[in-house]
Amino acid sequence: MSSTEDLTTDEQVLARATKQAIQAAGGLEVCSRETGISTSQLSRCCSPYQRDSLTVRDAHTIEDMAHGKSGHPHILRARARLLGFLMIKLPEATDDANGLLQSVMTLTAELGDVAQAINDALRDQVVTPAEAAVAIEQLNQLDEASATLRLQLRSIAGNDSKP
């Protein structure tokens, strides 16, 4: 059996994400029936001690089965983070004046929350991990507000394609 030293940290992260996705999709048996992969192979794909991994097609199938469950999509979200990307679900957008006004107000409020979180953290010149986590959560909400406004403006501009 391999040791965790044989796998990179990124591989271990993906194994944990695979395990979460399989659990959210209903477990090894359900995923085995849907993908045609044996439960033992799927189990190895979930292990931070084994080099086995899913194909993109099988990961997609399992992620689809877990749609709507907490943390979905587990594998895609983990892969995005490993590549240095932020993944946010595109919201439903309305392109009327009230929707635009609401989006701008939400964006402004979220930016204020981010600024306040950073200001609070810097009061004693040392940012703690907890303070950083609060600021990151505020940034996540700012990103979602920005994505909503972006979709609304794309719709108005006649460019309905998703970014």
Side-chain angles (χ1 to χ4, degrees), residues 2-9 11-12 16 48-51:
S2 300
S3 69
T4 55
E5 288 85 46
D6 293 337
L7 298 179
T8 67
T9 302
E11 290 171 314
Q12 292 176 38
R16 282 190 294 277
Y49 304 103
Q50 300 289 325
R51 190 159 300 284

Side-chain angles (χ1 to χ4, degrees), residues 2 21 25 28 30 57 68 92 99 106 109 113 120 136 150:
S2 300
L28 291 171
V30 172
R57 182 175 292 137
E92 295 296 321
T106 300
D113 290 346
D120 290 347
I136 289 168
R150 182 176 295 107

Side-chain angles (χ1 to χ4, degrees), residues 30-58:
V30 172
C31 291
S32 177
R33 282 192 304 272
E34 199 63 33
T35 63
I37 301 171
S38 71
T39 56
S40 60
Q41 176 70 28
L42 288 172
S43 182
R44 287 191 302 273
C45 292
C46 295
S47 173
Y49 304 103
Q50 300 289 325
R51 190 159 300 284
D52 298 50
S53 60
L54 297 173
T55 66
V56 171
R57 182 175 292 137
D58 291 327

Side-chain angles (χ1 to χ4, degrees), residues 121-143:
L122 290 174
R123 279 207 178 114
D124 59 1
Q125 302 298 313
V126 176
V127 178
T128 67
E131 290 169 327
V134 168
I136 289 168
E137 179 55 34
Q138 295 299 332
L139 281 170
N140 290 341
Q141 292 173 15
L142 177 64
D143 291 335

